Amino acid sequence: MTYCVGIMIESGLVLASDTRTNAGVDHISTVRKMTVFERPGDRVIVLLSAGNLAITQAVIAVLDERHREENQTCNVFAAPNMFRAATAVGEALREVYRSDGEELRRHFIDFSASFIMGGQIRGEAPRLFLIYSAGNFIEATPETPYLQNGETKYGKPVLDRLVDPKMSLDDAAKSALVSYTSTMRSNVSVGLPIDLVIYRKDSLKLETKVSIERDNAYYTAVREQWSKGLKRAFRRLPDPQFLRRDGSSSSP
Amino acid sequence: MTYCVGIMIESGLVLASDTRTNAGVDHISTVRKMTVFERPGDRVIVLLSAGNLAITQAVIAVLDERHREENQTCNVFAAPNMFRAATAVGEALREVYRSDGEELRRHFIDFSASFIMGGQIRGEAPRLFLIYSAGNFIEATPETPYLQNGETKYGKPVLDRLVDPKMSLDDAAKSALVSYTSTMRSNVSVGLPIDLVIYRKDSLKLETKVSIERDNAYYTAVREQWSKGLKRAFRRLPDPQFLRRDGSSSSP
């Protein structure tokens, strides 16, 4: 599987993807799921892919090809705004579906792929989308400031508690990493390295893109201190009053 | 949906289930998913059900009927040990499948139901099982001291971090409730009241069974203090070093 998350706050965007891919347990490898389309001063667009790797790689190939051909369709560089860029990715998905969908169905394989797309095009604010395999999409808003795809559930409770549109970019990056520690603690199909992008609103260039490997001291510190902090929070919880009251249960 | 969890520690068992059921968003109601089979001094067996409500209620009805008929099959009161009791529940599931499985298939409805079964029968230690819709089952061990069914993923990371076979029964109950706060924060298909049983090893009677309603002061305190504790743990995390190093990102 995969776990990707995009967070949109007032000061910019944080986007992260893991790199584990597996086709059965005997075919596990590392694949980058983050693709950056950048033209400094004009646009930064980051795509995070989840689902069938053949499909998502084909979509990226279509987008690259159309850009090189200076085609107007399926070209995120030709899009005048982020909505049109999301439409371009959706069109590329539909093109791959027309080519492969029926063949996959013959082999009982779902046409399963989704993309988180975040970025900014000059003239409008940063925006964040989740594009479904049907090529349609939803957009993040201040009320739902983050979007996930892949193995989303393990990391959702901490994001629900931590993410706030007014937080700093550093804190948004920390929130994303905390949600990765929760996910990777509970699910082996999500794995390091994590690719992480921090995009500052109106910079229109990619300033921070890191790959967090197993030996990354900062990530290790976050994981260990978060675990300790949770245990400390747990120890501070009150003892069950409803157990005390009837005297039927106390610590053995 | 549903969220049920069973925790097996050295000093006993903690079992909990929520009570929300829904068939589409316009048919949401409250149903108990916990069933207790108790004969004090001989056995305490607690079943937590998830999945299709018609199926799980039919299974409980079969188990009740066989008990009243003093039948030897599908009767958890006739089972000489917990393995046989789990087999009895599996047999009841298979009986319901024979009756309803094909009819459900005609309506494109999965035969989806599972049970967590925990308890103790005189002569052996407490045991904990997860029984699948096919009627087969797995058992918890000290290495995997908890089992979940229903909406399992949201509450799994905290259980992975907190549950330890040597913890007290109070702490095991607290862990279960913390995993409920995480689940209910992120998923509206799991809801209060929570039914919670704490079973002390070798007591062979049910001492503590509570229903935690919305106005339960203890649960409210756990939820609020856990949320505060997480935020405190988050604030204590180090700032991203890899952002500082290249100077490209700092708090705005």
Side-chain angles (χ1 to χ4, degrees), chain B residues 122-134:
Chain B
R122 193 159 40 96
E124 64 172 14
R127 295 169 76 177
L128 179 67
F129 296 86
L130 174 60
I131 304 162
Y132 299 108
S133 50

Side-chain angles (χ1 to χ4, degrees), chain B residues 130-174:
Chain B
L130 174 60
I131 304 162
Y132 299 108
S133 50
N136 59 342
F137 47 83
I138 58 170
E139 182 171 4
T141 66
E143 295 75 34
T144 54
Y146 71 89
L147 295 170
Q148 305 167 289
N149 62 357
E151 274 290 356
T152 62
K153 294 184 180 183
Y154 303 105
K156 187 170 189 293
V158 288
L159 293 177
D160 283 336
R161 283 192 164 106
L162 298 176
V163 175
D164 177 334
K166 298 203 178 298
M167 76 199 313
S168 70
L169 277 170
D170 273 11
D171 278 351
K174 269 191 263 186

